Amino acid sequence: MASIDHASYEAWEKAYGDFYEALPGKPAVVCPNCGHDALRIAFVANESDRIGSAMFWCGFCNFGIHISRTWVPEGVAFYVRGTPWEEIGKEVPEYTLVYPPVTDELPADSGFDE
């Protein structure tokens, strides 16, 4: 049986970074998984400091990542933390999450001793 290769978490991180840096403009970034120009992003953040999380996915292949702590750029709309999922779900579909690789090593800046 043939296996299907999907883009790595690192490829998704790069696409997210390129997409994020272009905001609030229209980012010219294609999906690292399928190559379509269908990437989407939605933020959920605190109204006071615009710090929250991001859901980043492809509207064509329905793969993507979740960023757990980020700042929402000025000029970009976001959902205020506490918005019911029923409202967010009207924009954000259920997509297949791409996870970072499993490792036993702690990041150098984790603040934890091994």
Side-chain angles (χ1 to χ4, degrees):
M1 179 185 301
S3 65
I4 299 172
D5 290 330
H6 296 290
S8 67
Y9 184 81
E10 290 78 16
W12 277 99
E13 279 185 315
K14 180 173 182 348
Y16 170 80
D18 293 345
F19 195 96
Y20 181 92
E21 290 299 319
L23 294 173
K26 169 68 174 109
V29 181
V30 298
C31 175
N33 196 57
C34 71
H36 282 85
D37 181 17
L39 292 175
R40 306 290 181 262
I41 196 164
F43 294 96
V44 177
N46 298 320
E47 197 166 16
S48 60
D49 59 10
R50 302 176 68 88
I51 293 176
S53 60
M55 294 158 281
F56 182 61
W57 75 97
C58 175
F60 185 83
C61 69
N62 277 334
F63 277 77
I65 60 175
H66 179 87
I67 304 297
S68 62
R69 186 160 174 91
T70 190
W71 179 75
V72 181
E74 291 294 330
V76 175
F78 63 96
Y79 295 97
V80 175
R81 192 174 304 280
T83 300
W85 176 250
E86 293 78 21
E87 185 175 334
I88 297 170
K90 291 176 184 173
E91 176 185 358
V92 180
E94 290 188 28
Y95 59 92
T96 301
L97 279 174
V98 177
Y99 293 96
V102 177
T103 178
D104 290 334
E105 297 177 26
L106 291 171
D109 63 349
S110 70
F112 293 101
D113 294 327
E114 290 195 42

